[in-house]
Amino acid sequence: MPLILFDESCHFHHAAIQGLSQINVASQVVCSANSVGAISSLILTGQGITVVAKSSLGQMTALTKANNPLPFVLPKLPEVIIEMVITANAHPNFGRAQLSIVCDNYLQSMSDHSVV
């Protein structure tokens, strides 16, 4: 299975490899990138599969039980916790109010996408 993943510092990188290994599916990382744009370009041209957050899907189509063309069921991915932290001495252009807006927008984008 050709994989297009974020670099090795990304939790999804190892989760994808380990998940496929656990169901005895051979995989090979054909590209390791540090931007969702690079990953998306390769995915949209059919170069492999990837693991990204739902909020990063963009034009990519999430594989679900209903549309999975693979001859096996993909393993469940681990949950990832994302924390946004602001310091006591926040930047004057990005304080608690702006952080709240970013968090609200992120949560909304998560509910607008298909399950990955």
Side-chain angles (χ1 to χ4, degrees):
M1 177 62 49
L3 299 175
I4 300 162
L5 303 171
F6 282 106
D7 63 36
E8 290 186 22
S9 66
C10 176
H11 184 68
F12 291 143
H13 182 101
H14 299 289
I17 295 167
Q18 184 178 21
L20 291 172
S21 176
Q22 288 176 346
I23 61 170
N24 296 316
V25 173
S27 65
Q28 177 183 6
V29 177
V30 295
C31 182
S32 185
N34 61 5
S35 79
V36 72
I39 290 172
S40 180
S41 293
L42 292 166
I43 294 301
L44 293 173
T45 59
Q47 303 300 308
I49 65 170
T50 192
V51 177
V52 297
K54 287 188 274 187
S55 61
S56 297
L57 278 175
Q59 294 180 329
M60 294 181 283
T61 302
L63 293 178
T64 64
K65 289 180 182 178
N67 73 355
N68 183 359
L70 303 172
F72 53 87
V73 176
L74 290 167
K76 182 170 173 52
L77 294 169
E79 290 187 21
V80 175
I81 297 171
I82 298 173
E83 295 180 337
M84 293 192 71
V85 180
I86 193 163
T87 68
N89 300 322
H91 189 279
N93 294 329
F94 193 85
R96 293 187 190 285
Q98 291 79 10
L99 179 62
S100 178
I101 292 168
V102 168
C103 290
D104 289 345
N105 288 342
Y106 176 78
L107 291 173
Q108 180 61 43
S109 73
M110 294 297 287
S111 66
D112 290 344
H113 287 94
S114 301
V115 175
V116 174

